[in-house]
Amino acid sequence: MSFCHSNMFNSNFAMVRPSETAMFLLLVAFVAPSLASNILYPVETESRELRTLHGLWNFKISPLSNQLIGFDEKWYTVRFETLGDYWKMPVPSSYNDVSTNSTIRDYVGWSWYQYEFYVPKRWTDDQLNVFLRFGSVHFKSIVWLNGQLCVDHEGGHLPFVGDATRFLKYGEPNLIVVAVNNTLRPDTVPQGYTKFPNNTYKYPNGYRIYSHEFDYFDYSGINRAVHLYTTPKSYVCDITVLTSFENNYSEGVVDYKVDICGNNVSQCNITLLDTNRNIVVESNTCSGQLRIPNVIPWWPIMSGKQHIAYLYTFQVKTNNENSDYYRMRIGVRTLQWTTKELLINDEPLYLRGFGKHEDSIIRGRGYDDALSARDFYLIKWLGANSFRTSHYPYAEETLQQADSEGILVIVESAACNLRIFGPDVMKFHKGVMTEIVNRDKNHPSVIMWSLANEPYNNIEVSVPYFRELYQHVRTMDPSRPITFVNSQQIQNAKAIEYMDILTLNRYSSWYSDSGHLELIQHQTYNELEAFTKKYNKPILLTEYGAGAISGLHSLPETMWSEDYHVTLLQEHFKTFDSLILNKIPILGEMIWNFADFKTPQEYIRPGLCVKGLFTRERQPKMAAYVVKTRYDTFRNNSPWPNPSLNCV
């Protein structure tokens, strides 16, 4: 999405000056919008070619005292080798932890990437469209090809696409330049603040203090894949599927809509294939319904079914001279929610998992196939069935793997600790949610939308805000429950009554009543029961846990030791079992966090949040073995564990 903010530099930088550069930046959103409806994941087919622009890019940062120098000197038109003072930076990766330079690690402002590449001459001979797609750039980005403005986007963690066809030089060297600004503002999601303290005794004149509302390190740069891909002039640009069952779940129903962009083509051939590439059903319309006899439903892991995570292939072929082909894997499943339960394919779900972070050494938030594969192996080793994309949408590749592994996902927006509510934030937040739903709507693994994490919903203005945002998302997707994660006390929590499911973060005997493990069962049981009775909705505990420094032991247990971490979890397990036994509508238990992750520098943490079941290097702590024992006692995805469970 492209937003234009007239206060762009007032809120971020000390210097404000009317200039051609500033006017250029204000006009960018109008002349180079992202192709918001053209966001299908790039795939290679018989009609499409696909290549990545991964590797070591040239990288520069603008001095804080002259943030607009790159625009004034038109860095987007010259090779950085001629300018000097640049670094090599891998893409995809966050830039913060790659070098040994603390200025780059902590940099907030305009950074610049540049890369040279070739494309084949036949792409223009064949009269193909060529699109440039970024999986995620954090936070605001402006992209030039060969000195020409191609596309801009604001908002991290989500993809955007520009039409590169007319900007490329075919059979010749091409220069791509990306300007990236990771400065957050009060009107963005998430929110950030820039202040200039009026205290020259303590701070130098013009000193800038930048802060944000969340407690994870704000990794920045080109964090996900950069693709070039081709299509015919008429091409498939969006697909929407909605699945259901009939005839006692023996027949699958796929309602679908395919959007074709380009020339006036309105006819499609639709083919649904099974895992052996056999044709299941066909259609010759771009919008309609497919009926699947003897359907194999998509079931999550540990459902006890013969087929887990079964995926069909939805194949589209445009019906014209130069046909476009696109294939997408889909699962046939339904979701329902009541005042007591969350059900998949009419069977109750009990979520066992955690919040995660896209975080690793050196790469930061940069997507990495090896790390993602390791995480999924660990998820399955634990016996977990779910995770939340705390606190932002994760890479598309992660959701694709969740689809194929049968792992359930709550997709959360980047609205972490939202403090300021108003029309500007609402506009931005709606845009973010629109992009999230458009991107992730067809994933069977995605079972819930989370609008925000721990907002300041103790103030009255949050009520109309979340009510309106809920309706915005509900209009786009009628098939999934919607929530936001509450951390307010029951007497202060507002707006949660408009959500479908209650979600709660609580840290008994850690942030509150620190060290008092004996209070966990009493406090957690009473509070979860009170929420469900007051709002007549089921509740999911989305965060609970404790910090544990790997290798630190204490007998008897003390805070920060692995022993304390284990006991705290075991006390919660007892509470969950009591809630289940007494039929309190609890939907699951999600630990904070899957693995240790980097935080901003502060005296209360050693550079990391150490609440992970695994270290940042993905090795298990004591707690991981205890959680594995707990999760392995569940026979399936229902809330009923093995009766022999003993949580002592």
Side-chain angles (χ1 to χ4, degrees):
M1 65 190 162
S2 300
F3 294 120
C4 182
H5 299 277
S6 59
N7 66 341
M8 179 176 185
F9 298 104
N10 286 322
S11 60
N12 294 346
F13 308 115
M15 46 154 340
V16 181
R17 53 181 172 78
S19 67
E20 293 181 3
T21 298
M23 288 302 296
F24 164 81
L25 289 169
L26 294 175
L27 289 170
V28 158
F30 296 103
V31 300
S34 172
L35 300 173
S37 62
N38 189 18
I39 214 65
L40 286 174
Y41 188 79
V43 297
E44 194 160 41
T45 69
E46 51 267 60
S47 63
R48 297 179 175 218
E49 291 187 51
L50 176 68
R51 62 168 296 185
T52 65
L53 298 183
H54 297 172
L56 289 175
W57 292 41
N58 292 338
F59 178 80
K60 288 179 68 68
I61 58 174
S62 302
L64 294 180
S65 60
N66 189 3
Q67 278 287 287
L68 301 184
I69 185 173
F71 299 98
D72 291 339
E73 296 183 358
K74 298 183 178 179
W75 288 357
Y76 50 88
T77 65
V78 295
R79 297 173 70 245
F80 288 178
E81 288 88 345
T82 66
L83 299 174
D85 191 25
Y86 70 93
W87 293 267
K88 291 291 185 180
M89 193 60 62
V91 170
S93 174
S94 305
Y95 61 68
N96 308 83
D97 289 348
V98 174
S99 77
T100 59
N101 188 305
S102 62
T103 299
I104 293 178
R105 180 195 63 198
D106 302 327
Y107 184 76
V108 177
W110 284 106
S111 59
W112 294 75
Y113 287 82
Q114 186 181 88
Y115 190 69
E116 193 171 70
F117 64 96
Y118 286 81
V119 296
K121 188 174 184 300
R122 60 179 168 76
W123 281 7
T124 186
D125 294 340
D126 293 344
Q127 296 185 326
L128 299 173
N129 297 320
V130 185
F131 294 105
L132 175 64
R133 188 184 195 272
F134 291 81
S136 167
V137 180
H138 192 71
F139 182 74
K140 178 175 178 60
S141 52
I142 306 173
V143 183
W144 294 263
L145 276 175
N146 299 317
Q148 302 297 308
L149 182 62
C150 179
V151 64
D152 90 302
H153 182 262
E154 186 165 32
H157 319 294
L158 289 165
F160 60 95
V161 178
D163 188 343
T165 310
R166 68 186 185 278
F167 303 124
L168 289 169
K169 297 177 181 178
Y170 299 88
E172 301 179 41
N174 290 273
L175 190 68
I176 182 173
V177 177
V178 184
V180 181
N181 195 323
N182 61 336
T183 310
L184 304 173
R185 304 184 305 271
D187 62 339
T188 60
V189 171
Q191 294 172 329
Y193 309 93
T194 301
K195 298 179 181 179
F196 297 91
N198 185 23
N199 184 349
T200 55
Y201 176 78
K202 190 173 181 180
Y203 301 100
N205 188 36
Y207 190 81
R208 180 186 70 167
I209 297 177
Y210 175 75
S211 62
H212 50 64
E213 291 287 355
F214 44 89
D215 62 357
Y216 55 88
F217 192 87
D218 197 28
Y219 280 112
S220 303
I222 304 176
N223 285 329
R224 296 181 191 155
V226 183
H227 286 108
L228 276 176
Y229 66 94
T230 68
T231 72
K233 289 302 181 183
S234 296
Y235 62 99
V236 179
C237 54
D238 195 19
I239 301 172
T240 303
V241 299
L242 186 63
T243 64
S244 58
F245 299 97
E246 290 187 2
N247 298 323
N248 197 28
Y249 285 83
S250 66
E251 184 178 36
V253 180
V254 180
D255 291 290
Y256 70 90
K257 181 177 183 295
V258 176
D259 293 331
I260 308 298
C261 294
N263 299 332
N264 295 325
V265 174
S266 59
Q267 294 183 328
C268 305
N269 293 326
I270 309 297
T271 306
L272 195 70
L273 307 171
D274 65 17
T275 55
N276 295 318
R277 298 295 189 224
N278 297 317
I279 296 175
V280 177
V281 62
E282 296 179 283
S283 173
N284 58 4
T285 63
C286 292
S287 177
Q289 188 179 87
L290 303 176
R291 290 185 170 268
I292 309 170
N294 302 312
V295 66
I296 301 176
W298 187 93
W299 288 102
I301 195 169
M302 294 181 299
S303 294
K305 308 297 181 181
Q306 180 181 357
H307 298 281
I308 297 297
Y310 190 91
L311 296 172
Y312 293 91
T313 298
F314 186 91
Q315 176 181 287
V316 183
K317 173 183 174 291
T318 61
N319 195 1
N320 60 314
E321 182 178 357
N322 295 313
S323 297
D324 185 29
Y325 290 80
Y326 189 88
R327 297 178 182 89
M328 178 179 72
R329 301 176 80 190
I330 67 169
V332 182
R333 62 105 178 99
T334 58
L335 289 170
Q336 298 92 31
W337 55 98
T338 70
T339 59
K340 302 292 185 183
E341 293 178 309
L342 174 64
L343 303 104
I344 187 166
N345 304 335
D346 209 30
E347 293 192 6
L349 277 175
Y350 187 76
L351 301 180
R352 306 184 294 277
F354 20 70
K356 291 179 86 273
H357 265 297
E358 288 186 322
D359 174 279
S360 66
I361 59 172
I362 302 176
R363 285 182 179 271
R365 196 148 291 124
Y367 177 77
D368 178 77
D369 281 320
L371 181 70
S372 180
R374 172 69 173 179
D375 282 0
F376 275 94
Y377 280 121
L378 292 175
I379 289 170
K380 291 187 292 183
W381 176 81
L382 282 170
N385 65 2
S386 58
F387 65 86
R388 175 170 58 120
T389 69
S390 44
H391 300 295
Y392 39 81
Y394 289 2
E396 294 153 285
E397 294 85 351
T398 301
L399 297 184
Q400 290 166 5
Q401 190 165 357
D403 291 342
S404 64
E405 302 278 6
I407 304 299
L408 302 166
V409 183
I410 300 171
V411 172
E412 186 163 87
S413 84
C416 188
N417 300 104
L418 203 64
R419 178 191 294 267
I420 297 174
F421 304 92
D424 291 340
V425 181
M426 175 65 79
K427 180 181 178 182
F428 201 103
H429 205 160
K430 282 183 175 179
V432 166
M433 293 310 304
T434 298
E435 291 190 33
I436 290 174
V437 174
N438 284 341
R439 190 194 74 162
D440 298 338
K441 60 189 175 184
N442 297 321
H443 288 285
S445 61
V446 175
I447 60 166
M448 196 182 307
W449 306 117
S450 173
L451 306 177
N453 177 72
E454 297 187 356
Y456 284 69
N457 60 304
N458 58 328
I459 56 178
E460 196 63 39
V461 70
S462 68
V463 175
Y465 183 94
F466 281 108
R467 186 169 54 196
E468 181 178 343
L469 190 62
Y470 172 94
Q471 289 300 331
H472 175 74
V473 177
R474 174 56 67 226
T475 300
M476 290 187 292
D477 182 13
S479 69
R480 294 175 176 90
I482 302 168
T483 189
F484 70 80
V485 177
N486 170 55
S487 63
Q488 300 293 329
Q489 298 296 319
I490 191 169
Q491 65 271 22
N492 299 324
K494 302 181 187 299
I496 59 177
E497 64 267 29
Y498 299 106
M499 302 299 112
D500 299 312
I501 286 171
L502 305 176
T503 45
L504 182 68
N505 292 348
R506 276 297 178 266
Y507 289 91
S508 179
S509 85
W510 188 254
Y511 292 129
S512 63
D513 294 302
S514 304
H516 290 277
L517 294 166
E518 74 278 5
L519 293 176
I520 290 174
Q521 293 188 57
H522 178 82
Q523 292 179 348
T524 305
Y525 188 101
N526 288 341
E527 186 167 31
L528 294 185
E529 181 185 37
F531 268 103
T532 59
K533 285 185 175 180
K534 179 176 181 178
Y535 294 101
N536 194 30
K537 296 176 187 285
I539 194 165
L540 170 65
L541 192 61
T542 38
E543 289 185 24
Y544 70 101
I549 298 173
S550 180
L552 178 63
H553 293 280
S554 176
L555 185 64
E557 52 281 82
T558 55
M559 293 180 70
W560 298 104
S561 70
E562 293 199 54
D563 313 86
Y564 189 92
H565 192 194
V566 164
T567 305
L568 180 143
L569 294 176
Q570 290 174 328
E571 290 298 303
H572 278 88
F573 298 160
K574 296 174 188 176
T575 311
F576 302 143
D577 290 342
S578 296
L579 290 163
I580 293 168
L581 184 64
N582 293 324
K583 294 183 169 50
I584 306 301
I586 179 173
L587 296 184
E589 50 196 77
M590 304 189 86
I591 297 165
W592 187 260
N593 189 283
F594 172 74
D596 295 348
F597 59 89
K598 186 169 180 176
T599 61
Q601 295 190 64
E602 51 192 354
Y603 60 84
I604 62 171
R605 293 187 180 95
L608 297 173
C609 174
V610 292
K611 293 188 178 74
L613 300 176
F614 300 94
T615 66
R616 202 179 187 207
E617 295 74 26
R618 272 44 178 192
Q619 297 301 324
K621 301 181 188 177
M622 277 179 60
Y625 295 97
V626 173
V627 170
K628 176 176 171 57
T629 299
R630 162 73 175 177
Y631 288 174
D632 282 347
T633 60
F634 288 83
R635 293 185 292 252
N636 50 45
N637 283 313
S638 81
W640 296 102
N642 190 306
S644 65
L645 174 65
N646 186 3
C647 296
V648 296

